[in-house]
Amino acid sequence: VPKSARMLTAAAAGKIDLVVAKKAKFEGTKVTFSEFSQKGFQYPMDSRYQETREIDIIIHCTGFKNDFSWLKGVKFEWNPRSWFKNSIVPGYEDKLAFLGWTRPHQGGIPACSEMLSRYLAMIWTGEKKLPEDWVEQAKEEGETLNEYYAEAGGFPTVVDYPSFMTAMSELIGCQPRRPSIFNVKGIIQYYTFPMWPAWYRTRGPAARPEIIYEELSRHGMLDGIGPKALTGLYGSVVVRDALYQAFIGNPLFYIFSFFGTFGKNLGGGWYWAKSKRYAGEHGVNMKLKNVLCP
């Protein structure tokens, strides 16, 4: 099962077992889990609890090592946060870029790579140009991300999905088209459904709005809020949070950020007070229009 919401949905429906244990002892096809922290939706648990299971196939997610030795005669800093949008390498911007070094802490690498591919194609065909200060921007954004993800210092590929997608959409010119407020179903889906790449095809270069509208037509108005049995509960939480964000959090953050830092981000400590996609990561900062219409 890929890392996606499908695994969580399956766990909520009882179709798969969720086990979070510190240790696992392997004996043939038997695996004994111990020092549990969570089983299913039981949390916390007695750390002395153990459980043995028969396992058919085990997949180890052991990671990988970066090796650029095959790039002969090319010298650059291996630090994605020194590259523009974790992709374009200073000094080689006309011939070298990386895809896959944008790992959202929530979201997917393919979606980020699709946006980068669209931007790179426009640059290398002459349709777009890099910002004049793109090297300085990359440095500044890298410093912001290092501060924001201070507890994940060994993972320079980590990005903030909402901010990254917003930043790329501004570079490409494909910001999602917000439905009319008279389209109740559409506006609720817009604010509660995942930020799929198809949202960024509603207008701009290579627009294909029919893709997202066809997908949304298959879903109900409240499907993005939570499992049907809990929609009412989750819905009240979503509405509460949305009202706080629109009428308290966003205005306060805008005032402090504008007069305190002239629109720049205020660092990770202010994360609680701002709409996630305007948190300062990737050069995306809150503008006046975003206060009531995030």
Side-chain angles (χ1 to χ4, degrees):
V1 179
K3 189 200 80 63
S4 71
R6 285 190 294 168
M7 180 176 289
L8 300 178
T9 302
K15 295 181 179 180
I16 64 173
D17 295 327
L18 174 65
V19 173
V20 181
K22 188 175 181 179
K23 294 182 178 180
K25 182 179 180 181
F26 299 87
E27 295 178 306
T29 58
K30 291 184 178 181
V31 181
T32 300
F33 298 99
S34 59
E35 297 189 25
F36 273 68
S37 59
Q38 182 174 350
K39 178 185 176 184
F41 294 96
Q42 300 178 48
Y43 179 86
M45 293 184 65
D46 186 341
S47 61
R48 296 171 295 179
Y49 179 80
Q50 294 189 11
E51 186 172 314
T52 299
R53 294 285 189 95
E54 286 280 348
I55 305 294
D56 296 324
I57 299 175
I58 299 171
I59 301 175
H60 293 277
C61 297
T62 55
F64 61 92
K65 291 183 178 180
N66 293 293
D67 182 5
F68 295 111
S69 60
W70 53 275
L71 283 172
K72 306 299 182 182
V74 177
K75 295 182 179 180
F76 61 92
E77 179 184 1
W78 187 88
N79 179 3
R81 288 179 183 164
S82 69
W83 312 339
F84 187 59
K85 305 305 179 188
N86 278 45
S87 176
I88 304 175
V89 182
Y92 299 94
E93 60 274 11
D94 58 338
K95 60 177 70 72
L96 179 63
F98 291 92
L99 299 179
W101 271 258
T102 45
R103 178 69 190 92
H105 69 270
Q106 184 180 17
I109 293 176
C112 295
S113 297
E114 178 182 333
M115 295 293 276
L116 283 168
S117 297
R118 294 174 65 183
Y119 185 53
L120 289 168
M122 297 175 77
I123 290 176
W124 289 340
T125 57
E127 189 175 347
K128 289 276 187 179
K129 291 184 178 181
L130 286 166
E132 292 185 2
D133 61 341
W134 67 276
V135 176
E136 291 75 17
Q137 283 188 36
K139 182 179 179 181
E140 182 177 341
E141 291 174 19
E143 292 173 350
T144 300
L145 289 171
N146 287 336
E147 177 187 352
Y148 192 76
Y149 292 111
E151 295 184 5
F155 301 93
T157 59
V158 176
V159 300
D160 178 72
Y161 184 79
S163 299
F164 184 84
M165 297 295 278
T166 299
M168 292 308 304
S169 71
E170 291 178 351
L171 288 170
I172 296 169
C174 62
Q175 296 91 330
R177 186 184 299 278
R178 185 184 295 106
S180 166
I181 59 174
F182 299 106
N183 179 358
V184 177
K185 178 181 178 181
I187 202 74
I188 290 177
Q189 288 180 325
Y190 177 83
Y191 281 111
T192 61
F193 272 56
M195 296 175 67
W196 293 319
W199 284 111
Y200 301 93
R201 295 283 185 177
T202 54
R203 58 180 168 183
R208 295 184 62 187
E210 67 275 9
I211 296 177
I212 188 64
Y213 298 142
E214 180 182 348
E215 180 61 32
L216 293 174
S217 69
R218 302 172 184 172
H219 299 277
M221 180 170 64
L222 304 177
D223 286 1
I225 293 178
K228 287 182 172 57
L230 298 174
T231 295
L233 174 62
Y234 287 163
S236 64
V237 174
V238 170
V239 171
R240 181 201 66 190
D241 290 348
L243 290 174
Y244 159 79
Q245 196 73 65
F247 296 105
I248 301 177
N250 286 358
L252 282 177
F253 177 70
Y254 181 80
I255 292 171
F256 279 108
S257 64
F258 184 80
F259 291 103
T261 61
F262 300 100
K264 299 296 183 180
N265 76 89
L266 294 177
W270 284 87
Y271 189 71
W272 61 272
K274 52 198 174 187
S275 180
K276 189 175 181 183
R277 77 177 75 176
Y278 308 113
E281 287 76 35
H282 309 292
V284 179
N285 294 285
M286 185 172 289
K287 302 178 179 65
L288 183 58
K289 68 177 182 179
N290 308 132
V291 174
L292 293 178
C293 296

